[in-house]
Each structure stands twice: as C-alpha cells, then as structure tokens.
Amino acid sequence: EVQLQASGGGSVRAGGSLRLSCAASGFTFGDRTVGWFRQRPGKDREGVVCVRNSGDNIWYEDSGRFTIAVDNAKKTLYLQMNDLNSEDTAVYYCVLGICARQYFGPTDFWGQGTQVTVSS
C-alpha cells in the first residue's frame, strides 16, 4: 500500500527553524511526485513545494527560507523551514501525486498533517 505520513511539527518562536518529515511506504521518492501543502487558519490549502521525480522542483513558497532533502535509505522527504514567522503557522501535509499553488479538491485521502505553530 502506498502511503505518506507527515510529522515533525511543533511550536517555535519567530525566527526559529523546524524540519518536517514525510515518510513513504510502498514507493520510492525518485519515482513519484510529491507535494508539500499547508493550510493556514481560515484559509484554503496552498502548495509549498512540488517535489517532482524529474528533479525540477517547483517552489510555491518562494521566500528562500525553505529547502527540501531526501533520504532514500530512510524513505523520507524532509522540509527544512528556517526563519519562521507567524504566517507560517499552519497544518502541513505531504501528498502523493498532487502539486498545485492552491488546492480546492477532495482531501479525504490526505493524511492528518502536522501542526506548525509560530509565536512572536
């Protein structure tokens, strides 16, 4: 069964950093496209980055504060977030095969996501 699970969220002060993990089962990251999304309070889900199997990633959050890395041995995709601010407070999701700047489709197959809270 193909699955993704996001984790690593938490509470951090403005200016701090967090590293989110997206653990895969049933596939290899290099073979599939994965989207990182977030949903801020009261807002629709928005894309953070599209991690494409071609290696030509698309950054929707283009402030330059976030980076990605893959550990194929652990089958985990990481989202490193630096210099966080209150606008980054959101539930973050990783989703297989979906990339978009904004997403309005069904989400019943999405995982629970991981909460990131940034306080000033």
Side-chain angles (χ1 to χ4, degrees):
E1 183 181 6
V2 174
Q3 283 189 329
L4 288 174
Q5 180 62 53
S7 63
S11 296
V12 64
R13 288 190 178 272
S17 299
L18 277 176
R19 187 178 74 164
L20 305 185
S21 300
C22 177
S25 59
F27 73 100
T28 300
F29 278 110
D31 296 338
R32 306 287 291 271
T33 290
V34 175
W36 274 106
F37 288 83
R38 65 185 178 186
Q39 186 167 24
R40 307 182 204 190
K43 302 280 184 74
D44 293 309
R45 297 188 184 195
E46 59 185 12
V48 175
V49 59
C50 178
V51 184
R52 300 168 70 176
N53 55 351
S54 65
D56 184 19
N57 302 325
I58 302 172
W59 283 95
Y60 305 108
E61 203 298 325
D62 58 0
S63 66
R65 299 177 294 124
F66 295 2
T67 59
I68 56 169
V70 177
D71 185 332
N72 287 312
K74 294 184 178 179
K75 303 190 78 173
T76 301
L77 170 68
Y78 299 102
L79 178 66
Q80 176 69 42
M81 307 188 296
N82 299 322
D83 193 22
L84 289 162
N85 59 61
S86 59
E87 290 296 306
D88 298 314
T89 294
V91 179
Y92 285 74
Y93 304 86
C94 55
V95 183
L96 183 63
I98 296 178
C99 287
R101 184 171 295 278
Q102 286 190 296
Y103 182 80
F104 305 106
T107 59
D108 54 335
F109 58 92
W110 289 38
Q112 290 187 337
T114 187
Q115 175 72 49
V116 171
T117 302
V118 183
S119 59
S120 56

